[in-house]
Amino acid sequence: MSKQLKVFILSFLGLLAIGAAIALLFFQNEKFEIKKSIPEVGVASAAQDTKAFPVPETATSDLKYNSWYVIKLGNIPIGLVVVGVENQNTGFPLNYTVQFVSRIGSSPLLSVLKGDLTVDESRNYKLQQSLLSNTENGSFKEIQNLWRQEKDGVLQLAKDSGASLLGIIPASLTRAKNKIQLDETSNLFYFSPKETSSKVNKVFIPFIGSFFNLQDVEPKYDDDGFLNFGKIVFEGGAELSFTRITKSKYNDLTKTIAETLIDFGWFSSLTSMKTEFETLKKSLDSCAGRTSSLNSRMIRYLPQSSYLSYRRIINMSHFCLSLNREINQKEQEPYNQKLNIISNSVKALLKENAQELPYFLAYSPDTILYYNDTISFLWPRITSLITQTALNELENNFELDRSRKSLVGIQLNITNLQPRAVVRAQIKLIDSSLNFIIESAKNPNMSLSSLNDVPANIEKSLGTFYLNGQSFAKKMDINFDSMCKINNGKIGIDLGDAPQFAINSDSVRGVWDVQTRIEIARQFAIKSTISKNCSNIYFRVPLSIEKAFSKELDQFKSETLGSENELLLSNNVQKKLWILPGKYRLVVTSLVTGSVMSAQEFSVSSGINTNVTAKIN
């Protein structure tokens, strides 16, 4: 055998061994997976973390015959249903469990709607329904509704606590009809006995408690009487579709349905598409004016602001102007073309570096919805609100910089370095008259003494400087200056545990969970920092979430207040930046070796320009 042949055979056997090893890795390791990323998503992507909550139960009915359904908005599953029927000849008694997954703002929510519909021998009907909304760390109080129909009467609401679909999705249903008799001319939405199908002209939807014309719901039934497909159309055009699925598919969906959570507020109040676009254009017009004004004020009051501050304004201005121009140019085009323009514009904006976008826009969970075409009818409304909220953030940050920061000129004079040679400089705030203090509450519950209401004019101490966090979430426009002045610079917010409630303000949407409390803390930090009378800002939080709050405050101080800056400085050339008054540590390192060339401290006074010259031999 020749030497070349031996080499070839050994090489071939080596390749076979490598191939076998790779195959073993694939087939024996069940956890092996190839990670895929969402196409077209940049740094400030719309990726939404899959959380352990909400996860619907794998529910069944205790009645004899069961059927399972998935509820979709577009092609996004948002709910699951199990229906039970005892008698297939009559459809009674009937019960059901409807589970919706959603979010309010960034807060995940699991809403469970249960109902029992019965009829006695005298043809008296009774529908009892309960609604329980669960959050990640607690539930809202369970509520109940009751409908009754006496013999030869009409079905009427006897007890109304809001326990219906409209308690979950507060939409307008102008086609719904009430106070109608439930009889052989009415189908139950989920079940239709064969012998009555020829007489039916209307459908009763139990979880709404209302009747609809047959053509409005378009139900299709299987041979066993159960619904195969049906839909509910809200005012404004949003449709919820109900599709029958197998029990195994239902069980699978309980594990994956929370992958995309939608804020039901987006589609519950939709109007006509024409009105939605008119609202969006007004929002974009306002955006163009506000960014232009903000840019002018930056140049006038905060010259030589950071590159990132200008980039955020420029990116928002360019987005609003270009999107408005494109929509106006396509005024006569079909709505689907204009909807695609919105989606493409938002996706292009999200490809910018996250630091060059408003914080709210870069990390909003709503931006994932631009990557699903079947819910494109939501895009104008989402875009309008995201734009306005992002602008509010930029304007608040400007007011904070203007009221608190000083312009500092920093120059390095390094003896053994060529003029204009570049080095790295780290500037870190080590002492300041503005302090953020996290107070770990011994009792995790919100204190009863925390203030629920702050007078417009404060003339004497109110007994405590802590605001009730839930009250602040509902009304953020308070007199911070007076509050801090009367309390010698102190002001605080109590973010302890409390009964669940929904928050819907211009700046924050959510329930009383950790994420929403962190967002409220950020708003409180911005608004209290803007006030020059506030020097010691307190956050009272339960020990269990102190770590999360500490991390958020560190990020706020670094990104918004500029407590930590890393710059590239040229030797003998002055660099200007806006920073908080206080004591700083300046560390200069070589770009080539990374070694520390100098470490020294300097102080910045309030309200004046400071020049710092670091001499390094």
Side-chain angles (χ1 to χ4, degrees):
M1 185 181 293
S2 68
K3 186 177 180 180
Q4 289 86 349
L5 183 58
K6 286 181 180 179
V7 171
F8 174 78
I9 292 172
L10 288 173
S11 300
F12 181 70
L13 291 173
L15 290 172
L16 283 177
I18 293 170
I22 293 172
L24 192 66
L25 176 64
F26 269 92
F27 293 110
Q28 288 194 355
N29 186 357
E30 294 177 357
K31 294 183 179 179
F32 185 87
E33 61 178 2
I34 298 174
K35 294 184 179 180
K36 297 179 180 179
S37 58
I38 300 174
E40 299 186 78
V41 181
V43 176
S45 75
Q48 189 177 7
D49 293 335
T50 303
K51 300 182 180 180
F53 180 87
V55 178
E57 296 179 356
T58 53
T60 57
S61 168
D62 57 354
L63 298 182
K64 189 173 182 180
Y65 303 98
N66 282 202
S67 185
W68 292 266
Y69 299 88
V70 59
I71 307 172
K72 290 185 178 182
L73 177 71
N75 65 356
I76 298 176
I78 63 172
L80 296 168
V81 188
V82 58
V83 181
V85 170
E86 187 66 28
N87 187 329
Q88 287 185 303
N89 293 322
T90 64
F92 295 99
L94 175 143
N95 62 20
Y96 51 88
T97 300
V98 188
Q99 299 180 89
F100 282 99
V101 295
S102 64
R103 57 182 169 80
I104 302 177
S106 57
S107 301
L109 201 65
L110 174 62
S111 302
V112 183
L113 195 63
K114 294 185 177 182
D116 286 279
L117 181 58
T118 59
V119 59
D120 62 22
E121 295 177 354
S122 301
R123 306 299 292 173
N124 296 316
Y125 293 87
K126 182 171 75 171
L127 170 60
Q128 291 179 296
Q129 189 161 262
S130 65
L131 172 61
L132 180 64
S133 295
N134 303 292
T135 71
E136 205 163 6
N137 61 340
S139 302
F140 289 88
K141 183 180 179 182
E142 184 176 71
I143 53 178
Q144 294 185 338
N145 275 18
L146 174 64
W147 288 264
R148 289 186 182 277
Q149 177 178 309
E150 305 297 335
K151 184 180 180 181
D152 299 327
V154 296
L155 189 68
Q156 297 192 69
L157 187 59
K159 177 184 177 182
D160 185 8
S161 300
S164 76
L165 176 67
L166 301 186
I168 303 170
I169 306 173
S172 177
L173 292 169
T174 54
R175 298 178 186 180
K177 300 175 182 178
N178 298 306
K179 296 183 179 179
I180 294 176
Q181 190 176 76
L182 188 58
D183 55 22
E184 65 276 3
T185 66
S186 308
N187 258 354
L188 298 177
F189 181 60
Y190 288 126
F191 193 84
S192 175
K194 279 189 176 180
E195 60 262 26
T196 63
S197 59
S198 60
K199 306 175 184 178
V200 169
N201 56 29
K202 56 185 178 293
V203 177
F204 176 65
I205 301 182
F207 54 83
I208 297 176
S210 299
F211 293 84
F212 290 79
N213 290 330
L214 203 61
Q215 63 269 24
D216 294 333
V217 183
E218 298 182 10
K220 295 179 177 59
Y221 296 93
D222 287 330
D223 291 340
D224 60 359
F226 279 106
L227 178 75
N228 176 274
F229 177 84
K231 65 180 182 180
I232 298 173
V233 182
F234 295 119
E235 203 68 20
E239 291 185 4
L240 293 190
S241 65
F242 294 73
T243 305
R244 192 176 187 181
I245 56 176
T246 63
K247 184 179 180 180
S248 61
K249 178 66 174 176
Y250 177 98
N251 292 339
D252 290 341
L253 281 169
T254 61
K255 303 178 183 70
T256 61
I257 195 169
E259 288 178 356
T260 302
L261 299 177
I262 291 181
D263 189 326
F264 289 166
W266 289 129
F267 63 87
S268 65
S269 54
L270 280 177
T271 55
S272 68
M273 195 53 64
K274 178 183 178 183
T275 304
E276 294 298 319
F277 268 94
E278 288 174 352
T279 302
L280 173 59
K281 286 195 283 187
K282 288 178 182 177
S283 178
L284 295 174
D285 285 336
S286 170
C287 168
R290 289 169 70 181
T291 50
S292 175
S293 172
L294 190 55
N295 191 55
S296 297
R297 284 183 288 160
M298 286 274 286
I299 295 171
R300 179 179 178 184
Y301 296 109
L302 298 172
Q304 296 173 302
S305 285
S306 71
Y307 165 80
L308 291 178
S309 296
Y310 280 110
R311 282 298 299 167
R312 290 169 190 143
I313 296 172
I314 291 168
N315 279 334
M316 286 304 299
S317 175
H318 180 264
F319 166 74
C320 294
L321 288 170
S322 60
L323 176 56
N324 206 9
R325 180 172 58 252
E326 285 191 73
I327 290 175
N328 287 329
Q329 288 173 350
K330 302 289 185 180
E331 185 68 35
Q332 304 304 319
E333 299 295 330
Y335 284 124
N336 63 333
Q337 290 191 24
K338 292 190 283 187
L339 289 169
N340 285 327
I341 291 172
I342 295 174
S343 175
N344 292 335
S345 296
V346 174
K347 289 176 186 176
L349 181 63
L350 291 173
K351 289 180 181 178
E352 297 286 347
N353 188 308
Q355 291 184 308
E356 298 180 13
L357 296 173
Y359 180 88
F360 173 82
L361 176 62
Y363 302 107
S364 170
D366 293 309
T367 51
I368 194 174
L369 304 180
Y370 292 98
Y371 296 85
N372 191 301
D373 293 340
T374 65
I375 54 167
S376 59
F377 56 89
L378 298 178
W379 293 343
R381 173 153 297 207
I382 299 171
T383 306
S384 178
L385 191 138
I386 283 179
T387 301
Q388 295 304 312
T389 306
L391 288 172
N392 291 341
E393 177 191 320
L394 293 179
E395 289 172 341
N396 279 334
N397 288 345
F398 166 78
E399 292 299 332
L400 187 154
D401 289 352
R402 183 183 174 188
S403 64
R404 283 290 190 177
K405 293 185 178 181
S406 297
L407 184 62
V408 178
I410 297 177
Q411 181 173 322
L412 302 180
N413 292 338
I414 306 173
T415 305
N416 299 322
L417 204 63
Q418 291 291 328
R420 296 189 178 275
V422 179
V423 295
R424 178 179 284 109
Q426 292 177 314
I427 303 169
K428 185 174 182 179
L429 180 67
I430 56 177
D431 188 30
S432 172
S433 59
L434 179 64
N435 301 298
F436 295 89
I437 304 106
I438 294 180
E439 180 185 307
S440 298
K442 295 179 181 178
N443 183 345
N445 296 327
M446 193 179 295
S447 173
L448 295 175
S449 63
S450 297
L451 297 171
N452 289 302
D453 188 37
V454 178
N457 297 313
I458 305 172
E459 298 178 354
K460 61 179 182 179
S461 175
L462 301 175
T464 179
F465 56 81
Y466 275 103
L467 307 179
N468 180 296
Q470 291 189 339
S471 297
F472 174 73
K474 290 186 286 187
K475 183 185 177 184
M476 295 187 179
D477 185 20
I478 65 170
N479 192 334
F480 281 89
D481 269 323
S482 296
M483 185 76 178
C484 290
K485 187 175 182 180
I486 207 74
N487 290 297
N488 299 315
K490 294 181 179 180
I491 193 167
I493 186 167
D494 190 342
L495 296 163
D497 296 341
Q500 277 298 350
F501 89 125
I503 303 162
N504 185 11
S505 69
D506 290 339
S507 303
V508 178
R509 274 178 57 80
V511 300
W512 199 245
D513 60 5
V514 176
Q515 181 58 39
T516 304
R517 280 187 265 184
I518 286 175
E519 291 179 21
I520 293 168
R522 176 176 275 269
Q523 292 298 320
F524 182 79
I526 291 173
K527 293 180 181 295
S528 54
T529 305
I530 289 173
S531 172
K532 291 183 178 180
N533 284 330
C534 299
S535 56
N536 292 301
I537 302 165
Y538 290 79
F539 301 84
R540 181 188 286 161
V541 299
L543 183 61
S544 60
I545 58 177
E546 180 182 346
K547 187 176 180 180
F549 272 84
S550 179
K551 182 180 179 181
E552 177 67 20
L553 279 179
D554 286 344
Q555 185 176 1
F556 172 76
K557 287 188 284 187
S558 175
E559 293 184 358
T560 305
L561 300 184
S563 62
E564 294 184 32
N565 292 274
E566 186 169 299
L567 312 169
L568 295 178
L569 297 181
S570 299
N571 192 25
N572 302 131
V573 178
Q574 190 181 72
K575 174 74 174 181
K576 298 255 185 184
L577 68 156
W578 290 89
I579 55 178
L580 289 172
K583 190 175 183 180
Y584 286 83
R585 182 173 178 81
L586 169 65
V587 178
V588 180
T589 57
S590 169
L591 279 178
V592 179
T593 65
S595 61
V596 176
M597 303 172 66
S598 173
Q600 51 189 284
E601 295 178 357
F602 66 91
S603 295
V604 176
S605 301
S606 176
I608 63 170
N609 291 347
T610 302
N611 290 315
V612 177
T613 302
K615 295 183 178 180
I616 304 171
N617 295 321

